[in-house]
């Protein structure tokens, strides 16, 4: 077989629809035990999903006389990652990374169909994980099975990495972070790395960083009929959040490069949850807790934003009456004060910043981006790169270490983490052709060099 016909053969790969749908149905059938939210007691067992992946690929493994090198890498029992390699003859590598084996929780009573059972209605494939991200796992597994059946001689190794624990960052040392820490991803620097965990079939050229935070506001409990004896933690929390948001948007305005990368939203700081001390309606609560996140454009660094949050909190705590108009002159009336000298009481906030990640702006001059754009346009007849306020784990760190990180995905963004999650079979079949065209372009370049 000539080198030219080899990369042309790669371009001809198409989805084996029966194999893909059969595998996806089995993966969706495990999703009740793949839900990831430790706060709800949901700890996924990703091996339940990867067992089905391995069963499809086992006939093509080196141990069974096939070309595929397959390894399950486990750091926490039952929660393995899977690395698949179709070896080439040089150190050049093309990799598809980031498709994950866990899912976000689903509430069956809020769905129109069972979220943990696969169903097909026309072109739409329903079930938790069809878009994020088990549809990608099944797609890439089928791609490697077809590649192994063809057995082309390639200069470029093609690698896939399916990861555990993507949907929750509170537990470390399980998934891609530990794979990177222990060197399993180092070899991927020798070529483009396509992070397959986005949506809508076009290149994602940027994501935002994420900084989860918690602000606990401490006031003074008292009878609501004597508000001058209380420090209202709810009112102080409202004012503290307003103060911090105004400061944040002044310090982190929209960067001109956000328009160049087609970011719809600028950096944002917002609350997403609120609670207060339980009590009767005639009590001013002593503690109010607001939690939320910052979504930071990749042209700012999360360290600077974290430092800014801490500075805002320190300014409030130094003089809450002045910074928040907590002296009776603010919007909550003359008896809403955040310091009561006669009671030796002063309101304060406690700020907690959780583990955070930088966003990424991909290298649009790289080989990987060029191949992705060309392949997308070849298959879809158009290409519309975009950027989003969502975040992905580790990608910025990998880019800083020299990886050519590119991002794409083939589910439906309108169904991401949503009730009645679904994906389009047509889109996923076209995705196979895009991955095949990328592989062909990368292999052609390797063969000609």
């Amino acid at each position: 077989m000539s080198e030219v016909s080899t990369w042309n053969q790669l371009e001809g790969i198409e989805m084996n629809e029966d194999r893909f749908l059969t595998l996806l149905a089995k993966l969706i059938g495990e999703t009740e035990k793949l839900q990831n939210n430790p706060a709800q007691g949901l700890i996924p067992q990703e091996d339940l999903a990867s067992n089905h992946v391995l069963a499809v690929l086992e006939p093509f493994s080196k141990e069974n006389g096939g070309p595929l090198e397959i390894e399950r890498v486990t750091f926490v029992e039952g929660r393995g990652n899977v690395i698949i390699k179709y070896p080439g003859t040089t150190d050049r590598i093309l990799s598809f990374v980031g498709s994950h084996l866990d899912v976000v929780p689903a509430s069956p009573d809020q769905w129109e169909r069972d979220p943990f059972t696969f169903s097909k209605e026309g072109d739409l494939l329903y079930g938790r994980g069809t878009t994020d991200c088990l549809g990608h796992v099944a797609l890439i597994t089928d791609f490697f099975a077809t590649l192994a059946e063809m057995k082309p001689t390639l200069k470029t190794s093609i690698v896939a990495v399916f990861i555990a624990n993507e949907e929750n960052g509170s537990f470390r040392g399980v998934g891609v972070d530990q794979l990177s820490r222990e060197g399993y991803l180092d070899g991927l620097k020798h070529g483009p790395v396509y992070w397959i965990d986005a949506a809508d079939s076009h290149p994602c050229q940027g994501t935002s960083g994420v900084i989860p935070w918690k602000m606990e506001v401490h006031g003074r409990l008292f009878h609501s009929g004597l508000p001058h004896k209380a420090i209202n933690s709810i009112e102080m929390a409202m004012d503290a959040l307003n103060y911090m948001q105004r400061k944040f948007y002044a310090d982190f305005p929209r960067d001109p490069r956000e328009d160049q990368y087609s970011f719809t939203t600028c950096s944002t700081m917002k609350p997403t949850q609120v609670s207060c001390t339980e009590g009767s309606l005639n009590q001013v609560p002593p503690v109010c807790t607001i939690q939320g996140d910052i979504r930071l454009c990749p042209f700012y660094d999360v360290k600077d934003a974290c430092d800014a949050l801490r500075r805002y909190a320190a300014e409030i705590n130094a003089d809450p009456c002045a910074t928040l108009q907590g002296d009776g002159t603010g919007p909550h009336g003359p008896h809403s004060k955040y310091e009561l000298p006669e009671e030796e009481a002063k309101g304060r906030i406690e700020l907690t910043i959780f583990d955070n990640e930088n966003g990424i702006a991909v290298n649009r001059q790289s080989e990987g981006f060029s191949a992705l754009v060309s392949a997308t346009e070849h298959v879809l007849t158009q290409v519309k790169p975009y950027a989003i306020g969502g975040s992905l784990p580790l990608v910025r760190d990998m880019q800083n270490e020299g990886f050519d990180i590119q991002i794409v995905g083939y589910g439906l963004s309108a169904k991401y983490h949503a009730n009645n999650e679904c994906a389009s079979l047509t889109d996923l079949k076209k995705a196979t052709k895009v991955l095949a065209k990328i592989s062909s372009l990368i292999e052609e370049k390797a063969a000609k060099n």
Side-chain angles (χ1 to χ4, degrees), residues 140-154:
I140 295 170
T141 300
D142 176 67
F143 179 86
F144 271 81
T146 301
L147 186 61
E149 289 170 339
M150 292 169 52
K151 293 184 179 180
T153 300
L154 304 178

Side-chain angles (χ1 to χ4, degrees), residues 133-374:
C133 193
L134 297 176
H136 292 134
V137 171
L139 170 77
I140 295 170
T141 300
D142 176 67
F143 179 86
F144 271 81
T146 301
L147 186 61
E149 289 170 339
M150 292 169 52
K151 293 184 179 180
T153 300
L154 304 178
K155 291 184 177 293
T156 306
S157 294
I158 304 179
V159 175
V161 182
F162 298 141
I163 61 175
N165 198 48
E166 194 274 344
E167 292 291 6
N168 190 286
S170 59
F171 291 164
R172 299 286 180 168
V174 180
V176 69
D177 59 320
Q178 197 65 24
L179 287 172
S180 177
R181 189 172 295 116
E182 298 198 13
Y184 285 96
L185 307 181
D186 289 352
L188 305 186
K189 289 182 182 178
H190 297 293
V193 177
Y194 293 96
W195 199 275
I196 312 294
D197 185 21
D200 295 338
S201 301
H202 290 272
C204 176
Q205 54 190 355
T207 68
S208 294
V210 60
I211 306 170
W213 53 265
K214 179 175 75 172
M215 181 174 63
E216 195 171 76
V217 180
H218 295 265
R220 185 170 191 260
L221 172 69
F222 219 83
H223 194 288
S224 66
L226 302 168
H228 62 294
K229 295 284 188 180
I231 296 177
N232 193 316
S233 63
I234 295 178
E235 292 179 347
M236 185 172 173
M238 293 164 59
D239 290 343
L241 178 62
N242 181 269
Y243 177 84
M244 296 177 82
Q245 286 181 304
R246 283 189 286 109
K247 298 278 285 188
F248 173 82
Y249 286 107
D251 290 342
F252 299 93
R254 188 172 183 90
D255 186 286
R257 289 169 290 182
E258 295 177 53
D259 293 327
Q260 298 170 17
Y261 273 76
S262 302
F263 276 93
T264 301
T265 59
C266 63
S267 298
T268 60
M269 177 187 178
K270 73 199 76 67
T272 57
Q273 295 182 0
V274 62
S275 62
C276 69
T277 309
E278 292 187 7
S280 65
L281 288 178
N282 64 357
Q283 288 180 309
V284 175
V287 179
C288 179
T289 301
I290 299 179
Q291 298 187 82
D293 68 16
I294 286 174
R295 296 291 172 155
L296 195 70
C297 94
F299 309 110
Y300 294 114
D301 193 280
V302 292
K303 180 182 182 302
D304 295 331
C306 291
D307 289 344
L309 282 188
R310 296 186 183 100
R311 185 172 67 252
Y312 307 154
E315 292 167 358
I316 292 170
N317 284 332
D319 192 346
C321 290
T323 55
L324 305 181
Q325 278 190 284
D327 56 1
T329 65
H332 308 300
H335 303 299
S336 182
K337 299 181 180 181
Y338 303 147
E339 187 168 4
L340 304 174
E342 67 279 10
E343 307 293 345
E344 297 183 347
K346 180 180 178 181
R348 60 184 173 84
I349 69 174
E350 292 181 3
L351 178 69
T352 302
I353 297 174
F354 301 103
D355 288 343
N356 44 79
E357 296 268 0
N358 268 310
I360 185 174
V362 305
N363 181 356
R364 298 187 299 177
Q365 282 69 53
S366 74
E367 173 190 19
F369 187 76
S370 175
L372 176 57
V373 168
S374 296

Side-chain angles (χ1 to χ4, degrees), residues 387-439:
I388 57 172
S391 63
L392 292 171
L394 199 67
V395 290
R396 175 70 169 272
D397 291 340
M398 292 177 68
Q399 185 187 57
N400 290 344
E401 293 169 7
F403 291 85
D404 178 13
I405 300 289
Q406 302 297 329
I407 304 167
V408 71
Y410 300 95
L412 301 172
S413 62
K415 298 298 182 179
Y416 235 78
H417 293 192
N419 296 332
N420 302 303
E421 179 182 348
C422 62
S424 161
L425 178 59
T426 297
D427 288 350
L428 293 170
K429 291 171 74 171
K430 290 179 180 178
T432 298
K433 294 182 178 181
V434 173
L435 300 190
K437 182 62 175 179
I438 289 171
S439 303

